[in-house]
Amino acid sequence: MDALSALGVVQATLAASGFVERASALVAAIAALPTSALQAVACFRLDDSGRSLLPVASWGAALQQLPQIGMDDLQHPATYCLVQGRACMVSDALASVDGNLAGLAGLMKRSAALLAFPLRDRQRQRALGVLLLAGSADELRRVQASLEWPALLGVVQRLLGQASRQGCAPTRSVRASAPVLAESAARCVEDGLIGTSVVARRLRAEVLAAAESRLSVLITGETGTGKDHAAWLIHRSSPRSEKAFVPLNCAAVAPELIAAELFGAAKGAYTGADRARQGLVAAADGGTLFLDEIGDMPLPLQATLLRLLNERRYRPLGEVEEKHSDFRLICATHQPLAEMVHDGRFREDLYFRIRQLTLALPPLRERRIDIPLLAAHAIACHNREHHTAVTGLSADASAALLKHPFPGNIRELLTLMQVACERARNAELIELGMLHGLLADPPGDAMPPAHDTTDHLPLNRACEAFERRVIVQRLRHFDGSRTRTANSLGIARRTLIYKCKRFGLEESP
């Protein structure tokens, strides 16, 4: 496309009035370009609620067959490009590993690719919609590399923004109805919890029920089952979704600092407090406070948390006046809290207060049927973020995944797929050889040999000594890599870093 052709597109768009009319003129003008080899063009507009992209103009595909795209579906190419603020291209070959493309089948032809451009009102700094082009991958790459396209899109966005401002009120003034919100929540959970197994379907229903409730939720499950993701989905699908989701991993923060993290502190409240800081409880006002690894919260602080939950009032460190915060609490743990209550390591009254609703996440070995879909989702995410074109797993590689025990659960699977995609590079399929070394059982499953006896130590110190030896052994095995060590242990990297500091393992052993 040369400058004269771009000018023709601008003139055709300018001649129309109203957003839909200008979008239709834009689509028709692009399709009529003499050098264009596009197979289809479509324009989607962000609706007044800001929750959906609606098709308003198309060429080469029936408008009524194009889907409505929910903005909650952050993995969809159209939504992704609008949120990220940059163009996004996917190929038709990736449709088999990216279920989000299924609704665009009417727009994408055989052996085609799809290029999505975000449309924004620069003057009002708000999203308008998305322009989608379908054609060969080579043609779309030429479009993306063209010097005229950025200039053309800049002018077109101003014209569409002007029409949008003249034709309707800002999207913030319109509130979605209850049925629309319920449908959006269901779609968010459906897209966020992948799987077709009975276990996955039951889990989606339980997450949606928890999102509709106001009660505190306790999420339990083995490390790596996605407890933090489930908490985020509950928040994202709840009436509090427009407010903040504020997480804190209690195992990743030194016990003496958790109170300051939660409640904030006045200037000079403790050594190093050179300025006042807002706590996470204040940040979660109106939204959701997520306390991960709640079992690691110190006992003295548990009493303070219980009072906060009962009265919704707290006092920042170093201040006199109390403050109020209206938040919903979600907690998660992989530890047996009931046993900890029995042993006196967790307050019984707090235990019953945080488990008004419970959500037990199953280990991946109990939903093996979902492994291929989860792997395909990981591949699609990698393709989108790194502009690769991995199309899936070979039969041998898929069979190997289904046999693997996955002690690290979903987190282990996702990490494994990231490494495999990097190894695949320009290959279309991930072959079995690319999984070499990734499916081996982690070292140290058996009791590591004790170089110093722990027979004389109290139970808590003996456990700490054992834990330290396991971490040292894993760090040595993975050449000091904190990320690979954490994945093999089935814990978060930040948790491993905290434990290394606690055990004096600042440097790789």
Side-chain angles (χ1 to χ4, degrees):
M1 180 180 63
D2 55 21
L4 188 59
S5 299
L7 180 59
V9 174
V10 171
Q11 290 176 336
T13 306
L14 182 59
S17 60
F19 187 95
V20 175
E21 291 78 7
R22 285 187 172 177
S24 299
L26 170 65
V27 167
I30 291 175
L33 288 173
T35 58
S36 175
L38 298 174
Q39 296 173 349
V41 185
C43 184
F44 287 72
R45 180 182 185 180
L46 189 64
D47 71 355
D48 289 337
S49 70
R51 294 177 177 270
S52 299
L53 286 167
L54 307 177
V56 294
S58 68
W59 170 85
L63 185 63
Q64 62 271 20
Q65 293 181 358
L66 296 181
Q68 174 178 317
I69 304 170
M71 288 298 293
D72 288 318
D73 184 3
L74 298 180
Q75 299 299 328
H76 195 289
T79 307
Y80 179 85
C81 88
L82 191 57
V83 172
Q84 295 294 322
R86 62 175 185 266
C88 173
M89 191 174 83
V90 291
S91 68
D92 187 52
L94 303 183
S96 61
V97 296
D98 196 341
N100 295 313
L101 298 182
L104 296 175
L107 185 65
M108 299 182 70
K109 307 294 184 180
R110 184 174 179 81
S111 301
L114 188 71
L115 180 59
F117 289 102
L119 301 174
R120 300 187 64 86
D121 183 349
R122 302 296 181 184
Q123 181 173 333
R124 293 286 182 88
Q125 294 297 310
R126 63 188 181 96
L128 296 172
V130 175
L131 178 66
L132 299 179
L133 308 181
S136 69
D138 290 339
E139 172 66 18
L140 295 184
R141 290 191 185 97
R142 283 194 291 270
V143 169
Q144 201 168 12
S146 169
L147 297 177
E148 287 77 17
W149 264 100
L152 172 61
L153 287 175
V155 176
V156 165
Q157 288 181 101
R158 285 198 293 272
L159 294 176
L160 292 176
Q162 181 185 52
S164 178
R165 292 192 297 272
Q166 293 174 349
C168 64
T171 58
R172 293 180 183 175
S173 65
V174 181
R175 295 184 61 87
S177 63
V180 170
L181 291 175
E183 180 183 353
S184 175
R187 186 169 58 248
C188 178
V189 173
E190 182 76 21
D191 295 335
L193 286 175
I194 298 168
T196 58
S197 65
V198 174
V199 173
R201 293 198 297 270
R202 185 188 71 236
L203 186 59
R204 282 194 289 268
E206 292 176 350
V207 167
L208 193 58
E212 295 171 350
S213 174
R214 298 181 179 180
L215 299 178
S216 298
V217 184
L218 175 61
I219 304 175
T220 61
E222 296 178 6
T223 300
T225 50
K227 295 184 289 294
D228 52 350
H229 182 62
W232 181 84
L233 280 177
I234 291 173
H235 166 77
R236 193 67 183 84
S237 306
S238 74
R240 295 177 177 263
S241 61
E242 295 184 358
K243 297 294 184 178
F245 175 77
V246 183
L248 172 67
N249 188 317
C250 300
V253 181
E256 63 272 15
L257 297 180
I258 294 182
E261 287 286 331
L262 279 175
F263 306 121
K267 181 178 180 180
Y270 55 88
T271 303
D274 54 353
R275 58 183 177 84
R277 57 176 297 186
Q278 182 187 55
L280 301 183
V281 172
D285 187 23
T288 301
L289 177 65
F290 173 51
L291 299 181
D292 199 4
E293 299 300 348
I294 184 68
D296 287 283
M297 178 170 284
L299 271 171
L301 191 56
Q302 292 179 24
T304 307
L305 176 61
L306 180 64
R307 178 177 179 272
L308 170 66
L309 294 176
N310 290 333
E311 301 179 11
R312 299 292 169 177
R313 301 192 68 81
Y314 66 98
R315 182 182 294 110
L317 274 65
E319 293 193 10
V320 176
E321 295 184 2
E322 291 188 332
K323 297 184 178 181
H324 177 269
S325 180
D326 172 29
F327 62 89
R328 185 189 187 183
L329 180 68
I330 301 178
C331 298
T333 184
H334 72 282
Q335 302 186 59
L337 289 188
E339 294 181 14
M340 295 178 66
V341 169
H342 183 268
D343 296 340
R345 291 179 292 141
F346 199 86
R347 291 182 62 104
E348 184 178 34
D349 45 8
L350 179 61
Y351 173 63
F352 289 115
R353 182 64 177 80
I354 65 175
R355 66 181 296 271
Q356 294 175 331
L357 292 176
T358 58
L359 180 66
L361 298 189
L364 188 55
R365 60 182 176 273
E366 293 183 6
R367 45 180 300 203
R368 289 187 178 277
I369 191 177
D370 296 328
I371 289 177
L373 283 176
L374 290 166
H377 173 73
I379 294 173
C381 291
H382 187 276
N383 286 334
R384 190 172 295 116
E385 293 175 7
H386 300 281
H387 306 291
T388 53
V390 180
T391 58
L393 294 157
S394 69
D396 290 342
S398 182
L401 287 183
L402 289 172
K403 293 178 182 178
H404 186 60
F406 284 107
N409 294 296
I410 295 177
R411 181 187 295 143
E412 179 186 355
L413 173 61
L414 297 181
T415 302
L416 185 152
M417 295 312 302
Q418 289 175 1
V419 176
C421 286
E422 289 292 332
R423 291 179 177 179
R425 295 184 179 274
N426 297 325
E428 292 186 354
L429 287 176
I430 295 175
E431 302 291 347
L432 179 60
M434 298 174 185
L435 302 180
H436 177 71
L438 299 177
L439 297 177
D441 292 335
D445 288 340
M447 179 78 72
H451 300 292
D452 56 327
T453 178
T454 56
D455 293 344
H456 65 286
L457 295 178
L459 179 61
N460 63 333
R461 292 184 60 191
C463 290
E464 289 179 356
F466 176 84
E467 186 177 8
R468 187 183 189 281
R469 286 201 302 271
V470 171
I471 292 175
V472 168
Q473 185 184 52
R474 295 289 177 90
L475 284 169
R476 285 174 177 166
H477 178 82
F478 291 112
D479 298 323
S481 170
R482 297 292 199 260
T483 300
R484 296 170 65 192
T485 299
N487 289 334
S488 76
L489 292 170
I491 62 177
R493 186 176 184 274
R494 58 181 179 272
T495 302
L496 175 64
I497 292 174
Y498 168 69
K499 289 181 180 295
C500 286
K501 291 181 179 178
R502 178 183 174 189
F503 294 138
L505 305 176
E506 295 290 348
E507 301 296 333
S508 301

